[in-house]
């Protein structure tokens, strides 16, 4: 049981109403791997420069994360994103994107990485995503993330890649942008008509909506009195979600629902601090406790016969 | 078992991306009463003019809605609201508000209305809300709705009224405006510190969040492929929610949770058509069916020991 992720390993410089962090560790593959590693073996494919030191790599140590696919470019600099959030923590303002070594990233999978159970194509060029898919023996589940930039500039490439995946992770605005439909449910059905069986819509502080041909499942976000920094929440969600799915024998509705909750649990820890700070503190018992709190948050009984 | 509502009976002229309706029946007390009447006896206190004819009153007929408190002002005209929605159906743009007879509304309760089980003070001047509360023997539950206008212009009057109620229905932006706190959960706790035991936060298409001293309960909105007109959804929610609570012997957490779902069910029907069109078509079996669909939408199992 393993999950393979292809994405970014990066430095982030972040400003929120609650503080500021300079060049802390970030990147989609980083958040994803740490979150997924609570449930399964992880294989990471990404690229870094010389400035991402052995000390920075400590973030992965002591976890079942295989770094054989993490390429280091000698003399290169690591991807660096700078952004800021206002009080509406749902919206990030990008101040600078220095792709650096990520600009020429061409994922090449080590031989040992070519049979993952689950594959996560984090938000990169849709053509590169397709190239990765071509390098693996068909996994049990292939999931894809994307962003407004690719929808606007590379829609046909993106749609070609979407046709080949089982599941797409996407936020509300991106559903509308991709499908041209203001209604989320109809938009999700249009995506399903392209090929994926499952659409997982990320709604930030409003939680997650999962749409399949037979099922709609909705969960609110865990209510927090202190949301410190939302950076990485989407990839952390994906890590908990797909990490759990890699660890279970089938992907029927009961496990899909549990996976959505576990992704939400991991994301709720992520946003409590900058970078991976909080994720590196928690253990499996913290995850299980918050899972039970999600039950408390959402459950209600049947109507009693004749009541009302 | 009965619920008393004090609020508006009105005409609405509405434009949405899907159509237009001229001078259709609306008003907070109208939506509330029809929704609550599925569960309990309703006593309505409001005011209309001559232009609200016997035919318009048909909306209440055949339901356990007592109109003894619906005052008709001879020669007067009924409250008329005109508004429009864009594709973001969460935001109404008010085009005109003609208060007409509602401008001089001073609720006077008939003798038979002075012992309700549950009292709903719909969105009117907070001083009038307090005046109504003074006219009844203390009900089991007093709930209040309000709006940004009163928070901005009459905050201290509003806070005085809030101190005397058990429950407040309020939307997200209003929580932030009232409390000055960007975080909803902290904002809700500030409102609870004023007096109410329960804060019910309406989030439109994202559903409802209920916060008490001991409990947070969250439910997504019922996912609809066609949302036609959101007018009245908040008051319809309140009607289903409080109507059910008036019909049950206690207001412990299990019934509070069910009541939130029933309010959400009623609101989901309201938005499927203009005015009360859809609400007047459904019966109790439609409500029960959609309640069960809410279970399907939100439920998930325990984690299996050792899974993951």
């Amino acid at each position: 049981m393993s999950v393979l992720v292809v994405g970014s390993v990066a430095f982030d410089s972040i400003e929120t109403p609650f503080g500021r962090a300079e060049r802390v560790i970030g990147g989609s593959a980083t958040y994803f791997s740490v979150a997924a590693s609570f449930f399964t073996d992880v294989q990471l494919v990404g690229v870094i420069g010389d400035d991402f030191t052995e000390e920075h790599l400590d973030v992965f140590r002591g976890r079942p994360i295989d770094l054989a696919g993490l390429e280091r470019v000698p003399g290169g600099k690591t991807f660096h994103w700078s952004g800021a959030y206002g009080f509406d923590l749902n919206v990030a303002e990008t101040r600078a994107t220095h792709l650096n070594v990520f600009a020429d990233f061409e994922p090449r999978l080590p031989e040992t990485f070519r049979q993952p159970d689950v594959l996560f194509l984090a938000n990169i060029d849709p053509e590169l995503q397709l190239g990765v898919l071509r390098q693996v023996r068909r996994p049990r589940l292939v999931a894809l993330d994307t962003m407004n930039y690719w929808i606007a500039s590379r829609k046909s490439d993106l749609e070609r890649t979407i046709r080949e995946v089982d599941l797409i992770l996407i936020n509300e605005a991106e559903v509308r942008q991709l499908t041209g439909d203001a209604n989320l449910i109809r938009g999700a059905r249009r995506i399903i008509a392209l090929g994926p069986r499952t659409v997982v819509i990320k709604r930030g502080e409003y939680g997650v909506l999962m749409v399949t041909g037979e099922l709609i499942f909705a969960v609110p976000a865990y209510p927090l009195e202190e949301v410190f920094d939302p950076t990485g929440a989407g990839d952390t969600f994906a890590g908990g979600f797909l990490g759990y799915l890699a660890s279970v024998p089938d992907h029927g509705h009961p496990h899909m629902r549990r996976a959505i909750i576990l992704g939400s649990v991991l994301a709720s820890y992520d946003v409590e601090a900058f970078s991976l700070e909080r994720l590196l503190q928690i253990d499996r018992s913290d995850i299980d406790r918050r899972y039970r709190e999600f039950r408390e948050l959402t459950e209600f009984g049947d109507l009693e016969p004749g009541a009302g």
Side-chain angles (χ1 to χ4, degrees), chain A:
Chain A
M1 305 292 193
S2 66
V3 62
L4 170 65
V5 55
V6 180
S8 62
V9 174
F11 290 118
D12 291 336
S13 294
I14 299 159
E15 198 175 328
T16 79
F18 316 111
R20 164 198 287 270
E22 284 293 330
R23 285 180 67 80
V24 292
I25 295 170
S28 58
T30 313
Y31 280 106
F32 180 93
S33 298
V34 170
S37 72
F38 288 101
F39 305 101
T40 192
D41 293 338
V42 182
Q43 299 174 319
L44 188 159
V45 175
V47 63
I48 51 178
D50 289 330
D51 51 351
F52 205 95
T53 64
E54 286 301 309
E55 204 176 314
H56 292 120
L57 289 170
D58 276 350
V59 74
F60 301 113
R61 296 250 162 71
R63 298 171 184 275
I65 302 173
D66 187 337
L67 301 179
L70 182 60
E71 181 191 353
R72 187 190 293 276
V73 177
K77 290 180 69 179
T78 301
F79 182 17
H80 182 193
W81 178 78
S82 298
Y85 302 86
F87 280 102
D88 179 355
L89 293 164
N90 289 314
V91 184
E93 174 211 334
T94 291
R95 289 181 171 169
T97 302
H98 300 287
L99 291 174
N100 299 330
V101 295
F102 202 62
D104 301 313
F105 182 42
E106 289 210 20
R108 273 184 307 275
L109 274 51
E111 204 51 51
T112 53
F113 277 31
R114 294 178 182 237
Q115 299 191 18
D117 291 300
V118 172
L119 170 61
F120 180 54
L121 303 164
N123 166 35
I124 58 172
D125 183 323
E127 231 176 304
L128 296 182
Q129 291 178 318
L130 200 56
V132 170
L133 192 48
R134 300 273 182 260
Q135 295 178 51
V136 295
R137 198 192 60 180
R138 184 77 198 182
R140 284 200 292 155
L141 180 67
V142 178
L144 164 151
D145 189 15
T146 191
M147 73 182 293
N148 52 5
Y149 176 77
W150 305 116
I151 300 172
S153 64
R154 301 280 299 285
K155 193 165 172 183
S156 68
D157 285 339
L158 176 60
E159 286 187 347
R160 204 177 49 191
T161 304
I162 289 174
R163 282 175 213 283
E164 305 219 15
V165 307
D166 304 304
L167 186 147
I168 177 168
L169 290 131
I170 188 165
N171 73 32
E172 289 185 287
E174 290 159 0
V175 172
R176 296 188 170 110
Q177 186 188 3
L178 179 63
T179 66
D181 200 315
N183 182 287
L184 274 191
I185 306 299
R186 281 199 314 258
R189 301 221 187 280
R190 282 173 197 253
I191 294 172
I192 287 170
L194 288 178
R197 285 194 311 277
T198 307
V199 177
V200 174
I201 303 170
K202 299 176 285 182
R203 309 167 112 181
E205 68 170 308
Y206 300 110
V208 174
L209 194 61
M210 176 168 65
V211 182
T212 75
E214 313 90 47
L215 166 84
I216 303 179
F217 178 59
V219 64
Y222 185 82
L224 288 165
E225 297 199 32
E226 305 285 348
V227 175
F228 197 78
D229 171 23
T231 307
D235 295 302
T236 304
F237 170 85
F241 175 61
L242 295 174
Y244 175 76
L245 288 178
S247 78
V248 293
D250 72 84
H251 295 164
H253 292 169
H255 280 314
M256 293 296 282
R257 290 169 186 255
R258 288 187 184 100
I260 292 281
I261 303 300
L262 287 165
S264 304
V265 165
L266 270 294
S268 76
Y269 281 117
D270 167 50
V271 303
E272 291 184 352
F274 278 129
S275 188
L276 294 103
E277 215 173 288
R278 190 80 181 95
L279 291 176
L280 297 176
Q281 291 168 347
I282 60 170
D283 61 24
R284 185 58 203 252
S285 70
D286 296 306
I287 294 170
D288 291 352
R289 189 178 61 251
R290 200 163 275 188
Y291 187 97
R292 291 191 297 272
E293 289 169 0
F294 260 96
R295 286 289 293 268
E296 274 298 297
L297 173 68
T298 59
E299 74 182 353
F300 56 92
D302 282 324
L303 280 180
E304 287 155 22

